[in-house]
Amino acid sequence: MLKKIKGDIELIGRHLEVLSIVAQHQPIGIIKLSEVMNVPQHRIRYSLRVMEGLGYIRASPTGAVATEKADELFTSLDTDIEEIIVLLNGMRSSIQKT
């Protein structure tokens, strides 16, 4: 059960890393992203598609660019991650007590 969640978290981590690099180096294309991250192009393409579908990036003639929605995500990212950590620690504590 938790193996799937771990895989999802790893995938989200890759999506966020792609988004971060796009924001830092925009506009940037798939090939350059693949080189910077040392990740196969098909995985970069998938992450870009997901991030575009969620509205965090948009395609431009010269490569991907971050949107205002990406800025909003990065502004609250540390807080959001901390909230998830608190939930997981709570889960751990409740399981250890039983």
Side-chain angles (χ1 to χ4, degrees):
M1 171 172 55
L2 296 179
K3 189 174 185 178
K4 167 99 171 77
I5 294 170
K6 182 182 177 192
D8 289 345
I9 291 170
E10 289 169 347
L11 182 59
I12 290 167
R14 187 182 78 219
H15 294 336
L16 289 171
E17 185 178 1
V18 166
L19 182 58
S20 176
I21 292 171
V22 168
Q24 293 171 28
H25 301 281
Q26 59 188 335
I28 188 168
I30 293 170
I31 295 170
K32 183 66 175 175
L33 271 166
S34 177
E35 291 170 357
V36 168
M37 292 181 62
N38 196 29
V39 172
Q41 291 180 26
H42 70 277
R43 290 190 175 168
I44 298 295
R45 188 175 293 110
Y46 177 71
S47 290
L48 288 172
R49 190 176 331 122
V50 169
M51 293 287 101
E52 184 176 21
L54 294 171
Y56 295 118
I57 64 165
R58 65 175 176 77
S60 78
T62 54
V65 294
T67 66
E68 281 186 30
K69 191 172 179 180
D71 293 336
E72 294 168 9
L73 173 72
F74 288 128
T75 299
S76 65
L77 188 60
D78 283 342
T79 301
D80 294 341
I81 290 172
E82 282 302 318
E83 289 173 0
I84 293 168
I85 290 169
V86 167
L87 286 171
L88 290 171
N89 283 331
M91 184 185 338
R92 177 188 293 153
S93 295
S94 68
I95 293 169
Q96 290 176 350
K97 291 177 183 177
T98 57

